[in-house]
Amino acid sequence: MRRTPLVAGNWKMHRGGPDAAALARGLAEALGGRAPAGVEVAVLPPLSALGAVATALGGTGVLLGAQDCHEAPSGEFTGSVAAEMLAAWGCVLVLVGHSERRRREGDDDARVRRKLEAALRAGLRPLLCVGETLEEREAGRTRAVLERQVGAAAAGLPADAAARLEVAYEPVWAIGTGRTATPAQAAEGHAVVREALRGALGPAGERVRILYGGSVKPGNAAALLAAPGVDGALVGGASLEAAGFAEVVRRAAEAAEAARQAPAAR
Ligand code: PGA
């Protein structure tokens, strides 16, 4: 099945001040004023910069997203932001279960599920991150970890919710390390995630996009995006550089065009 690729830039805790609008404007310029046809583009800046980035990217077709949300719609949760608030702020996407939050901020499988449901309730598209650590990979547990993470987050979601779900396969050992999965390793991980999505959602699992994430940059994007089953990229460090991120977006548009012309090969 052919899926429109999505390239999302996760700025993490960078460019949250007056430098955010400049990066967003630089991206708009590097894209020639608009996200190219045939690919969806999103940026996920820190909360403090959402307003400025939304303004800077107005009319470009680049979507706005956030990096996390609270599971409750409101309440005594000092410092947290609800999915509904993100939606009201113009976000269309929100990451849930990024490995940095799973590892350091107490986002276990159950909490990730609650956040994912909160995002759906708010009308957002949750971008669920899954991936194995190096230790898990070396212990031969990659499949089990991915199946557990996908199952816990997605099992039994209704079909209309599944239609808004996005997934990113991000091997933890490849995040921010400069060490990238090979296209073959990415394809292997994506196949496991796809199978787990089918198990969790039935036929609706077929439509969910699976992005690859982990040290994606202009130099490796074409090979990773051409790997079987890769429907886009979640880009961290390289999304902080407008020209480089725009380059990854163009590689995704080219991969989509190549797949369109040779559908049987994918
Ligand atoms: P990276 O981050 O591209 O810097 O490895 C990816 C991510 O954490 O989403």
Side-chain angles (χ1 to χ4, degrees):
M1 174 186 270
R2 212 168 55 230
R3 304 171 196 89
T4 302
L6 167 66
V7 178
N10 174 12
W11 293 7
K12 307 193 179 182
M13 203 166 74
H14 300 287
R15 308 290 202 279
D19 48 358
L23 176 56
R25 279 195 303 270
L27 174 61
E29 201 176 310
L31 290 172
R34 270 207 77 76
V39 45
E40 278 197 313
V41 184
V43 292
L44 320 174
L47 292 177
S48 55
L50 280 177
V53 172
T55 304
L57 291 175
T60 63
V62 175
L63 306 173
L64 194 64
Q67 301 169 17
D68 182 47
C69 65
H70 197 275
E71 63 259 49
S74 64
E76 284 62 51
F77 300 107
T78 302
S80 296
V81 174
E84 285 80 356
M85 298 171 184
L86 297 173
W89 221 340
C91 288
V92 299
L93 280 164
V94 62
L95 292 185
V96 291
H98 190 281
S99 63
E100 286 156 12
R101 297 202 58 90
R102 288 182 191 262
R103 218 164 6 136
R104 304 200 192 113
E105 311 282 349
D107 284 10
D108 58 12
D109 284 336
R111 186 146 203 237
V112 169
R113 170 73 182 225
R114 292 197 297 274
K115 289 185 174 192
L116 190 144
E117 288 181 354
L120 290 167
R121 201 175 54 225
L124 295 173
R125 284 154 51 181
L127 175 36
L128 167 72
C129 301
V130 298
E132 80 287 358
T133 63
L134 186 58
E135 198 188 11
E136 289 162 341
R137 170 166 283 259
E138 286 175 346
R141 288 172 45 221
T142 300
R143 170 176 287 273
V145 168
L146 296 178
E147 284 175 347
R148 192 201 77 227
Q149 291 177 336
V150 172
L157 288 177
D160 63 323
R164 279 189 286 134
L165 176 65
E166 320 267 6
V167 175
Y169 168 54
E170 299 203 297
V172 177
W173 47 272
I175 295 180
T177 57
R179 195 177 154 190
T180 317
T182 62
Q185 285 172 323
E188 207 183 317
H190 280 236
V192 174
V193 172
R194 177 66 61 202
E195 220 180 282
L197 282 169
R198 282 193 209 105
L201 299 168
E206 203 57 51
R207 299 217 310 271
V208 177
R209 276 188 287 216
I210 308 174
L211 318 187
Y212 171 78
S215 299
V216 176
K217 48 185 182 275
N220 60 26
L224 287 164
L225 288 161
V230 175
D231 305 317
L234 180 55
V235 186
S239 70
L240 298 175
E241 210 267 302
F245 184 62
E247 182 77 23
V248 174
V249 170
R250 276 192 291 277
R251 296 288 91 86
E254 285 163 14
E257 179 58 21
R260 200 180 63 77
Q261 291 188 9
R266 299 260 302 170

